[in-house]
Each structure stands twice: as C-alpha cells, then as structure tokens.
Amino acid sequence: SLGGSTFISVPKGSLVTDGGTIIESANTNYMWQRVNYAYVTPEMFGALGEGADEYTQVQAAVNTGKTVYLDKIYAISKCIKTAVVGQQIFGKNRKTSGLIAKAGVWVNAPDNGVIRVAHNNCYLHDFVADANNVGSAPSNRTNGCFIVGDNGTQPIGWTIERVDALNATGYAHVCFGVEANPKTSGYYSDCMAYNSQVLFEQLACDTVVLDKCVGISTSRTIECFHPFASVKNITYINCETYPVSDDNSGAIGINIVSVNNYDLGTIKFI
C-alpha cells in the first residue's frame, strides 16, 4: 500500500486515476481505491521528503480536494495551490513540516510563491513556507504564503494559523484583493515572518485580523506590517516586530499607504 492504508478493487465506472487514492488495475474493468484514511499525504503520491523536487507529488495530493497532511518538509519547484473551497492543509509543527522552494529548479510561474490560497474558507496550519531566497526583487520576486483568487475573485473566510513564512524575496505573508472593490478577508493567528522584503502585507483587503503575529526583519526587509491600497478593517492584536540584530533596524515597522486616491478604512492596533 503506497503511503500507508489499504486498497480495495472496485468497478471502474467513471473513476479516473489520481495516482494516489485511485490507481489503475491490471484488469481494465476495475480500479484500486484507497480506503480507511482521514487525510491524504504526499507520500501517497510517491513523495519521500528527502530533498528532491516533489512539486508533482505534493500538488497531486492537494488536487484531490481532500485534507492534506504534510509530514515532512518537501522541496518544490513551483507554487502549491489549493484545489477547492474549504480545503485544509496542515503539518505537525513548524520545524519539521512544510514546503521549501528548491533552488536551481524553482520557476515563478504560473504563481510566484511557495503556497497559494485561491479558494474561500481554506485552513492552513502548523507548517513552514520557506521561499529559500529564490527569485529576485522587484520583477521576479518570490512570496511565501499568499492569498489571491483566480480571475479577479477574492478569497474570504480563510485561516492561516501557526504558519511561518521565511526567506522571501517578495512578501512573506500576503493577501491580495481588488483595489476598486476590496473583499478579501480572513484571519492570521500566531504566524511568523522572517528575512523577507515585506513581512506581512494586506493589499486591497476588507476585514483581515492578525493575532499574535511576529515579524523579524533583516537587511532585506523594507516593511514589516504593511496595510496597503484601499484596505479596510485591518486589525492587529498583540502583534510585534523587531530586527534580527541591532544592525538590521532599517525596516519600517508599520507603513500605512493608500494609492490611486482610494480611501483607507479603519486600521486598529490592540
């Protein structure tokens, strides 16, 4: 049984192999179907978590639309993107579970980040998103954990909890909306951002809460907390930022910026 659990033989019907939960059989009238599992893992799709590029295996697990458990830190060559509304992706902790951009093979296309939330009501927790210093600012920068919908949609109801975003040549944690009509909304809790150009960015969003989030700036960092471009109802609760050392203190702690004559809504610090 690949990646654990058990398979049973079932009539093929309209089933299509996904390489991990439904697998082709030697008998073309039947398929092997995985049973008795609470979540999928990249290992079910052939991942080992030993440093090779495993983008295909991780994204295949996510594409099932089921809850995904990241047992290890998996190297990837492209961005991992949520597949369905309400999807959960989680690890066991931020030290030993997560995703890391693989230097030398990383491609900033079609998405320029380690992991992207593209759907409503997704829940990411307990892992690291390490951009590993790939890409370069300003034109080819790589983000850590970012939220942006497809075709102008704006994800709402998402939760990012205990996710650390590191070493991004772009944004560590960032959520994007539409400047003319911001709707992107969600909740960060106990997240950390480190060694990135911008640590926490909220761009054209409406109702985002950051609770107990920590930004650690380095010589790369320009801004730590950055509500930007027609944002509304941004709340920071017990958040803090500090430089990694005294000689890396040039970053702006809080930078509130409006562009294109858009009005800014309420921004609270609690």
Side-chain angles (χ1 to χ4, degrees):
S1 57
L2 183 65
S5 72
T6 303
F7 288 89
I8 61 171
S9 180
V10 296
K12 182 175 182 179
S14 60
L15 293 176
V16 178
T17 182
D18 62 14
T21 65
I22 301 171
I23 298 175
E24 291 181 349
S25 166
N27 185 331
T28 57
N29 294 317
Y30 287 84
M31 302 285 271
W32 291 109
Q33 185 173 53
R34 191 183 296 269
V35 295
N36 301 326
Y37 61 96
Y39 46 74
V40 297
T41 68
E43 283 79 3
M44 292 178 178
F45 297 82
L48 298 174
E50 296 178 351
D53 173 22
E54 294 181 321
Y55 162 77
T56 299
Q57 293 89 336
V58 177
Q59 189 62 57
V62 174
N63 285 346
T64 64
K66 303 179 187 300
T67 295
V68 179
Y69 174 55
L70 303 175
D71 181 56
K72 302 173 183 176
I73 295 179
Y74 305 90
I76 53 174
S77 57
K78 291 191 288 187
C79 179
I80 299 301
K81 176 185 171 184
T82 60
V84 295
V85 170
Q87 189 162 33
Q88 179 181 176
I89 301 174
F90 75 105
K92 55 185 165 185
N93 61 61
R94 294 177 273 192
K95 298 296 184 182
T96 62
S97 297
L99 304 166
I100 183 170
K102 186 170 178 62
V105 296
W106 177 263
V107 179
N108 262 336
D111 295 309
N112 61 331
V114 175
I115 186 165
R116 174 185 168 201
V117 174
H119 300 83
N120 294 345
N121 302 319
C122 290
Y123 181 27
L124 276 53
H125 62 99
D126 295 290
F127 64 87
V128 63
D130 188 347
N132 198 25
N133 305 302
V134 298
S136 59
S139 60
N140 191 41
R141 59 187 181 179
T142 303
N143 305 314
C145 177
F146 73 119
I147 295 100
V148 62
D150 290 324
N151 303 316
T153 61
Q154 302 182 72
I156 62 173
W158 42 266
T159 297
I160 313 296
E161 189 170 24
R162 296 182 301 278
V163 173
D164 291 350
L166 318 175
N167 304 318
T169 51
Y171 306 104
H173 281 287
V174 58
C175 47
F176 293 102
V178 177
E179 288 185 11
N181 186 26
K183 294 182 179 178
T184 297
S185 64
Y187 177 68
Y188 293 97
S189 176
D190 192 16
C191 293
M192 188 268 282
Y194 168 75
N195 189 35
S196 302
Q197 187 179 49
V198 179
L199 301 181
F200 289 91
E201 171 106 359
Q202 306 85 53
L203 194 158
C205 303
D206 185 351
T207 311
V208 175
V209 175
L210 296 89
D211 185 8
K212 297 187 292 292
C213 292
V214 176
I216 305 174
S217 63
T218 65
S219 57
R220 168 183 286 165
T221 308
I222 298 172
E223 291 145 333
C224 298
F225 293 94
H226 192 211
F228 181 72
S230 73
V231 291
K232 302 177 181 178
N233 303 312
I234 309 299
T235 303
Y236 302 96
I237 304 171
N238 295 324
C239 292
E240 61 178 326
T241 182
Y242 54 87
V244 70
S245 63
D246 290 341
D247 59 349
N248 288 317
S249 57
I252 300 173
I254 303 290
N255 192 19
I256 304 171
V257 180
S258 177
V259 297
N260 299 326
N261 296 316
Y262 289 116
D263 291 332
L264 290 172
T266 301
I267 299 173
K268 296 180 180 179
F269 302 90
I270 302 174

